Amino acid sequence: MSAALDYLAQEKIWFDKPHYDEAERYFYERMNGTSHPAQELVGANSILQDIARARENIQKSLAGSAANGTGDQGELVTQIKILELENHSLHQVVEDLRSALSKLECRVSVLEKFPSPAPAPVPAAPCTNATSVKQKTTSAPVEEEDDDDDMDLFGSDEEEDAEAERIKEQRLKEYAEKKAKKPILIAKSSILLDVKPWDDETDMAKLEECVRSVVADGLLWGQSKLVPVGYGIRKLQIQCVVEDNKVGTDLLEEEITKFEDYVQSVDVAAFNKI
């Protein structure tokens, strides 16, 4: 350890060089007229100027926002006043309508309590509608005659009554004749019958001949055909047209089932009005 210290003591090392460098720098700064405090002062002044400008900008922005807020508030107050005026006018209109409605209700109640008198009925003529106009026109000049012609007036009324009766009877007769000449609508129906035989050995031609032999007023036979039923048995399907007020299905079934040797049963397959 002591040997190391001795070696360092013999070495030519400038341990105080940083102090000398600092002193030299300070000397030259004094010579050039600059120093750290002056630079620090300039920096502080610039910072203060920036702060002042920032404050000024903030104050301006605050003043502008306050002015805008005041303007908006004034516009809002104006709109509120306009709405109040409109509301007041609407209230006035509603009050007017209510008063008009109350007056109308009063008038209706008065009219219901005291209805207007009905007009006096016009005396009807003692005859039919066809002669009422004629009697009215003929009675007008009669009223303008003198009071001395009262007997003639009654006589003319009797003649007019007789004429009215004659016209009435004539029109009734003409109506009856016209109705008699009108063709009467005859109700007809189309019927499809299923005629079934006893078995497959039944003569279907003879069965159809027996069916068509049924004759009645208002009965007209139509087309026919044989329809298979099963096990070789066929049924006769025949169509006919009948007048409803003369021939019915019961009559047809009764007449056809009389042919017991050929017919087992009769059914109505279809029934349509014509």
Side-chain angles (χ1 to χ4, degrees):
M1 185 71 180
S2 60
L5 292 174
D6 293 336
Y7 176 77
L8 291 174
Q10 292 177 3
E11 286 290 331
K12 296 180 180 180
I13 300 173
W14 194 3
F15 290 100
D16 295 333
K17 187 177 185 306
H19 298 286
Y20 286 99
D21 291 338
E22 181 70 18
E24 185 179 3
R25 184 181 63 79
Y26 183 72
F27 173 73
Y28 283 112
E29 287 179 355
R30 292 289 301 270
M31 290 295 291
N32 294 326
T34 58
S35 62
H36 285 291
Q39 293 178 356
E40 292 177 358
L41 182 61
V42 171
N45 290 333
S46 63
I47 292 172
L48 290 175
Q49 290 177 359
D50 293 338
I51 292 172
R53 284 196 296 271
R55 287 180 178 177
E56 185 178 359
N57 292 331
I58 291 171
Q59 289 178 357
K60 288 181 180 180
S61 63
L62 291 175
S65 61
N68 292 331
T70 305
D72 295 339
Q73 186 175 4
E75 185 178 357
L76 182 61
V77 170
T78 304
Q79 291 180 358
I80 291 173
K81 289 182 180 180
I82 293 172
L83 290 175
E84 288 179 352
L85 292 175
E86 292 179 354
N87 191 15
H88 180 70
S89 62
L90 289 175
H91 278 295
Q92 186 65 32
V93 172
V94 171
E95 290 297 331
D96 295 340
L97 291 175
R98 286 179 178 175
S99 61
L101 182 60
S102 61
K103 291 179 182 179
L104 183 60
E105 289 178 351
C106 292
R107 289 189 62 185
V108 171
S109 60
V110 170
L111 291 175
E112 289 178 351
K113 291 180 181 179
F114 303 100
S116 59
V122 179
C127 61
T128 60
N129 294 333
T131 58
S132 60
V133 178
K134 182 179 179 180
Q135 290 179 358
K136 185 175 179 181
T137 55
T138 54
S139 60
V142 174
E143 292 178 357
E144 295 178 359
E145 295 179 358
D146 297 334
D147 296 338
D148 297 338
D149 299 332
D150 290 340
M151 296 302 294
D152 295 335
L153 179 62
F154 288 113
S156 62
D157 289 340
E158 292 177 357
E159 292 176 359
E160 290 175 359
D161 292 340
E163 182 67 19
E165 288 294 333
R166 186 184 67 79
I167 294 174
K168 181 179 179 180
E169 291 177 358
Q170 182 179 358
R171 290 187 176 179
L172 289 173
K173 184 178 179 182
E174 291 176 356
Y175 176 74
E177 292 177 354
K178 184 178 180 181
K179 189 175 181 181
K181 293 179 181 179
K182 186 177 180 180
I184 300 174
L185 182 63
I186 300 173
K188 294 182 180 181
S189 301
S190 175
I191 303 174
L192 185 63
L193 298 175
D194 284 344
V195 184
K196 297 178 182 178
W198 288 104
D199 50 24
D200 57 344
E201 296 180 356
T202 304
D203 188 357
M204 299 303 295
K206 186 64 177 176
L207 186 145
E208 182 177 356
E209 183 181 350
C210 294
V211 172
R212 291 184 181 275
S213 65
V214 177
V215 180
D217 186 16
L219 172 62
L220 178 62
W221 292 106
Q223 297 179 354
S224 63
K225 64 179 180 178
L226 297 177
V227 180
V229 178
Y231 302 100
I233 301 174
R234 295 180 299 174
K235 65 180 179 180
L236 176 66
Q237 198 170 70
I238 187 168
Q239 190 174 10
C240 64
V241 177
V242 300
E243 295 181 9
D244 295 344
N245 59 346
K246 294 181 180 180
V247 181
T249 56
D250 296 336
L251 176 62
L252 292 174
E253 292 178 5
E254 182 180 355
E255 292 295 329
I256 294 173
T257 52
K258 286 181 180 181
F259 304 100
E260 298 177 353
D261 296 337
Y262 302 98
V263 179
Q264 177 190 8
S265 62
V266 179
D267 298 324
V268 178
F271 188 95
N272 296 315
K273 291 287 185 181
I274 299 177

